[in-house]
């Protein structure tokens, strides 16, 4: 089973990224044939950015992934812009298998385009086609992601099907893997919105590398409701989110968490969630600094990953090009 996923090197990685995606990457790395993980810098250029900062964030994200337990012996970890097949295949798919109407329906494009104060780039509109190219260039069977990527994955499946119908069987139609618990970690201050780096209130987002004291403060000030019972309910999004977080980080079911905190106050529950999250992130934080300090080693790991990635993507994209009647015919 071939596994592929991508993560943006923008902003700082938060608890939602960690629970929804990174922990899945680590769990799956030995099952992949191979498992391929890509730091998607080409996606990051579709909104305003600073080139020097992009490189810094790329190293940050790579070091977080390694500190979380990705092992370049077990998986392929690489930088998207090192493998030109991604950009080439984007155009091949955009030209023949991607409808303008489908791209126009993407929620994330709508959300992100209203946030852009200056230019809404054509690249932001094309973002899901690049994402489809990432996955299809490796004929991935399975794509581990959080819930917010579901619509992009549906489109990637549609694009693969459209291409295959027109040019003959070429690409694997990928399945997604969205975790049952933790697929959508919500903002602590505004629990009707998913946790993200671009949230209006910085107190709502917990970062993977955040100082334990700051993490504790954020959980203590998390928005809850006027009730007092620690149980999940539609009108209790804040408490429901905290129950889900504690379930994942402590390896207990959500029912068990509710039972364990029966009769307890919100205050002591929030402190318990904070402590469990701090312990959960501690090993990553401990390993991060040393890994991040050695940029040459990070470059070496990414370079070796890119070579392995190219060896897989090259022939797959060449076959697509040939079926489309492009370039010198393949004998
Ligand atoms: P990105 O970088 O925004 O997010 C990386 C991963 O984190 C998940 N995630 C969450 N999971 C749970 N709760 C949250 N609050 C939360 N916020 C983010 C995302 O679902 C994602 O899995 N477009 C992708 C990157 C990408 C990609 C790909 C993914 C590019 N090419 C190919 C899969 C396959 C993105 O923006 O992820």
């Amino acid at each position: 089973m071939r596994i592929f996923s991508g993560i943006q090197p923008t902003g700082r990685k938060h608890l939602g990224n960690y629970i929804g995606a990174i922990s899945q990457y680590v769990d799956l790395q030995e099952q992949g044939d191979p498992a391929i993980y890509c730091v998607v810098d080409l996606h990051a250029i579709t909104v305003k950015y600073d080139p020097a900062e992009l490189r810094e964030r790329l190293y940050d994200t790579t070091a977080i992934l390694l500190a979380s337990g990705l092992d370049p012996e077990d998986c392929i970890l690489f930088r998207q812009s090192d493998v030109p097949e991604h950009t080439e295949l984007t155009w091949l798919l955009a030209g023949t298998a991607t409808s303008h109407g489908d791209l126009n329906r993407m929620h994330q494009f709508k959300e992100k385009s209203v946030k852009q104060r200056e230019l809404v780039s054509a690249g932001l509109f094309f973002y899901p086609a690049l994402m489809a190219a990432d996955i299809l260039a490796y004929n991935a069977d399975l794509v581990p992601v959080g819930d917010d990527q579901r619509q992009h994955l549906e489109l990637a499946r549609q694009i693969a099907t459209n291409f295959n119908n027109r040019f003959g069987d070429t690409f694997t139609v990928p399945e997604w893997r969205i975790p049952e618990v933790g697929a959508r970690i919500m903002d602590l201050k505004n629990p009707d919105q998913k946790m993200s780096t671009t949230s209006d209130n910085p107190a709502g987002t917990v970062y993977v590398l955040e100082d334990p004291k700051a993490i504790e403060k954020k959980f203590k000030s998390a928005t809850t409701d006027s009730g007092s019972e620690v149980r999940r309910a539609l009108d209790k999004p804040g408490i429901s989110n905290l129950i889900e977080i504690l379930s994942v980080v402590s390896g207990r079911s959500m029912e068990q968490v509710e039972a364990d905190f029966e009769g307890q106050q919100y205050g002591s529950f929030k402190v318990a969630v904070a402590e469990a999250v701090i312990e959960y992130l501690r090993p990553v934080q401990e390993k991060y600094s040393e890994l991040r300090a050695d940029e040459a080693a990070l470059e070496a790991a990414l370079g070796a990953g890119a070579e392995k990635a190219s060896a897989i993507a090259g022939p797959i994209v060449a076959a697509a090009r040939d079926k489309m009647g492009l370039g010198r015919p393949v004998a």
Side-chain angles (χ1 to χ4, degrees), residues 6 8 14 16-17 20-21 43 127 131 134 145-146 148-149 183 185 195:
Q8 292 204 65
H14 54 72
N17 298 131
H43 280 97
Y127 182 113
M131 189 166 152
D134 294 340
V145 282
D148 63 339
Q149 297 301 313
I185 299 298
M195 186 176 283

Side-chain angles (χ1 to χ4, degrees), residues 307-323:
E307 265 181 44
K308 293 185 204 161
S310 291
I312 299 174
I316 293 172
V317 176
R321 204 188 290 131
D322 188 52
K323 288 194 177 166

Side-chain angles (χ1 to χ4, degrees), residues 4-8 13-14 16-17 20-21 25 40 43 108 127 131 134-135 143-149 152-153 182-185 194-195:
F4 183 94
S5 199
I7 186 162
Q8 292 204 65
K13 293 295 131 195
H14 54 72
N17 298 131
Y25 305 166
V40 294
H43 280 97
Q108 210 157 60
Y127 182 113
M131 189 166 152
D134 294 340
I135 300 164
V143 185
V145 282
D147 184 66
D148 63 339
Q149 297 301 313
H152 286 159
L153 261 288
R184 197 171 187 83
I185 299 298
K194 68 169 183 180
M195 186 176 283

Side-chain angles (χ1 to χ4, degrees), residues 8-286:
Q8 292 204 65
T10 40
R12 293 182 285 159
K13 293 295 131 195
H14 54 72
L15 190 61
N17 298 131
Y18 194 85
I19 290 177
I22 298 173
S23 69
Q24 291 202 76
Y25 305 166
V26 177
D27 290 347
L28 289 169
Q29 67 177 333
E30 285 174 21
Q31 292 173 44
D33 182 21
I36 307 166
Y37 301 121
C38 178
V39 186
V40 294
D41 54 350
L42 294 167
H43 280 97
I45 66 166
T46 58
V47 293
K48 196 161 181 268
Y49 78 101
D50 172 67
E53 199 189 326
L54 178 59
R55 285 198 201 280
E56 294 298 316
R57 297 290 89 85
L58 187 122
Y59 291 139
D60 295 350
T61 305
T62 306
I64 287 186
L65 292 171
L66 293 171
S68 303
L70 286 190
D71 181 348
E73 298 288 317
D74 288 330
C75 68
I76 298 176
L77 175 63
F78 74 106
R79 170 171 45 206
Q80 189 183 32
S81 60
D82 283 342
V83 180
E85 276 78 6
H86 292 245
T87 37
E88 180 183 355
L89 185 58
T90 304
W91 184 248
L92 304 186
L93 297 174
T96 60
T98 313
S99 90
H100 178 275
D102 281 342
L103 289 177
N104 225 357
R105 284 190 303 106
M106 295 293 117
H107 308 308
Q108 210 157 60
F109 172 68
K110 289 183 195 153
E111 284 159 23
K112 285 193 180 172
S113 54
V114 293
K115 284 192 185 159
Q116 294 308 302
R117 293 216 177 79
E118 295 159 29
L119 167 100
V120 177
S121 73
L124 189 61
F125 186 68
F126 257 51
Y127 182 113
L130 175 58
M131 189 166 152
D134 294 340
I135 300 164
L136 304 188
Y138 298 88
N139 272 336
D141 301 294
L142 194 70
V143 185
V145 282
D147 184 66
D148 63 339
Q149 297 301 313
R150 193 184 292 267
Q151 195 188 31
H152 286 159
L153 261 288
E154 275 168 10
L155 181 63
R157 288 171 56 85
Q158 185 62 52
I159 291 173
T161 307
N162 292 347
F163 191 99
N164 290 347
N165 287 344
R166 178 158 174 197
F167 298 107
D169 221 11
T170 310
F171 294 116
T172 303
V173 180
E175 303 285 337
W176 58 71
R177 183 182 192 269
I178 296 176
E180 273 177 31
V181 185
R184 197 171 187 83
I185 299 298
M186 307 308 276
D187 187 287
L188 299 187
K189 278 292 182 194
N190 194 351
D192 294 319
Q193 277 176 19
K194 68 169 183 180
M195 186 176 283
S196 86
T197 24
T198 52
S199 125
D200 303 331
N201 187 342
T205 305
V206 171
Y207 294 100
V208 174
L209 299 176
E210 196 153 3
D211 176 66
K213 286 222 159 49
I215 296 182
E216 190 178 352
K217 199 167 159 205
K218 286 184 176 177
F219 277 102
K220 280 186 175 166
S221 71
T223 301
T224 44
D225 51 85
S226 55
S228 60
E229 274 175 79
V230 178
R231 64 172 169 79
R232 285 163 292 158
L234 281 179
D235 60 348
K236 290 159 78 81
I239 282 293
S240 303
N241 187 40
L242 296 181
I243 292 172
E244 188 155 350
I245 292 173
L246 184 54
S247 165
V248 176
V249 305
S250 68
R252 279 180 277 177
S253 69
M254 294 200 273
E255 291 73 18
Q256 188 62 49
V257 170
E258 288 169 333
D260 290 349
F261 286 88
E262 205 182 327
Q264 293 205 34
Q265 301 292 320
Y266 283 173
S268 56
F269 173 59
K270 287 185 191 179
V271 171
V273 182
E275 282 171 0
V277 168
I278 291 165
E279 283 317 308
Y280 180 72
L281 295 177
R282 191 187 300 280
V284 186
Q285 296 192 348
E286 281 174 359

